[in-house]
Amino acid sequence: MKLHVLPAGPIQTNAYLLTEPEKGEAVLIDAPGNVWRDVAPILEKEKCKLTELWLTHGHWDHTQGGAEVVRETGAKVRAHLEDRVLIETPEVMERFMGERMNLEPVAVDIWVKQGDTFPALGTDVEVRHVPGHCPGNVLFYFKSLPAAFVGDALFNGSIGRTDLPGGNFDQLERAIREQIFTLPDATVVYPGHGSKTTVAHERANNPYVSG
Ligand SMILES: [Zn+2]
C-alpha cells in the first residue's frame, strides 16, 4: 500500500490517498477543494481506480472537493451520521465562516459508527468516534500499517479547535484519551492539518490532553 499526502484547498487541508497498485484500487481520505487535480494523475500513473472516499468529518475544508471526486470516479462515500447536516447542507457552514463559498453537498453512501470494521485495500480498517472538534469526527485505523487518520481531533502538538458549533473541549480531550491514546504506541497519526506524529509522542508531549 502506498500513501500520498496531498495538502489542498484554501487552508491546506491534508487529503490522504491510499493506493494498492496490486489490486488496482485506491481510497481517498478527505476531499479539500480541488483535490481531484492532485488525485487524478496519481490514479492514472498507478493504474488504480478510486473505489471509496472517507470523510473524517463534515467541515467544509474536508468536503469541498468531494462532489467532484464522486462525479469523476463513482467512489462510495463513508462518513459519520452526526455530521450529516454539515455534509448534506454545507451552506450552514457559510454562516459561521462568515463568507459565501458555493459549497456543494456530498452524497454519503455508508454511515459509519464507533467500532465498525470493514475490509479495504486488502486489509482491515476500524472506525473510532472522536467527537469534540465536531460531532461526527471519526478516525480510520489501519492496524496493519499501523496508522490512524484522525481528521481534526488531534494534531502534532495540538488539538482541534472546539469553538465552532458542535465543539466541546471536555468531550474532545476525553475522546482523544479513550480512542486515540489507547492505540498502540507506534501508531502513526495522520491529522487533517500539518505534519504526522505518533500516539506515543502525543501521549507523552501533547499539552492539551492529560495523560
Ligand atoms: Zn474541522
Side-chain angles (χ1 to χ4, degrees), residues 16-204:
Y16 295 102
L17 178 66
L18 292 157
T19 59
E20 184 49 90
E22 277 177 29
K23 292 175 75 82
E25 286 180 16
V27 168
L28 180 65
I29 303 176
D30 285 339
N34 293 324
V35 73
W36 178 243
R37 283 182 207 168
D38 301 322
V39 169
I42 298 171
L43 295 177
E44 197 176 318
K45 182 160 174 261
E46 298 188 10
K47 297 185 172 52
C48 287
K49 177 179 161 48
L50 190 76
T51 55
E52 300 204 7
L53 165 63
W54 304 343
L55 301 175
T56 59
H57 64 298
H59 282 155
W60 66 274
D61 59 307
H62 295 253
T63 63
Q64 195 176 19
E68 182 182 28
V69 166
V70 170
R71 266 198 303 278
E72 295 287 345
T73 63
K76 293 272 175 280
V77 180
R78 295 183 195 256
H80 193 280
L81 196 57
E82 284 193 51
D83 278 358
R84 184 172 197 160
V85 171
L86 297 177
I87 295 166
E88 294 186 346
T89 53
E91 61 274 14
V92 299
M93 284 177 280
E94 294 180 348
R95 234 173 290 145
F96 64 79
M97 298 311 296
E99 56 179 306
R100 290 197 61 87
M101 291 180 290
N102 290 319
L103 298 168
E104 255 188 289
V106 182
V108 174
D109 300 283
I110 302 160
W111 296 105
V112 298
K113 61 180 191 309
Q114 168 72 20
D116 281 358
T117 58
F118 55 88
L121 306 173
T123 186
D124 286 321
V125 182
E126 178 185 338
V127 175
R128 294 185 174 205
H129 188 205
V130 196
H133 165 67
C134 148
N137 196 117
V138 290
L139 66 77
F140 297 97
Y141 172 52
F142 288 77
K143 189 178 183 180
S144 58
L145 295 178
F149 298 87
V150 303
D152 289 356
L154 182 68
F155 299 125
N156 188 340
S158 186
I159 61 170
R161 57 190 287 194
T162 55
D163 60 325
L164 295 169
N168 180 309
F169 175 82
D170 292 337
Q171 188 184 39
L172 178 59
E173 202 254 352
R174 188 172 67 244
I176 291 169
R177 272 190 282 114
E178 293 178 355
Q179 304 301 337
I180 302 180
F181 286 3
T182 52
L183 293 169
D185 278 357
T187 306
V188 181
V189 173
Y190 291 96
H193 301 272
S195 59
K196 67 184 179 184
T197 179
T198 65
V199 167
H201 181 82
E202 294 309 311
R203 201 194 288 119

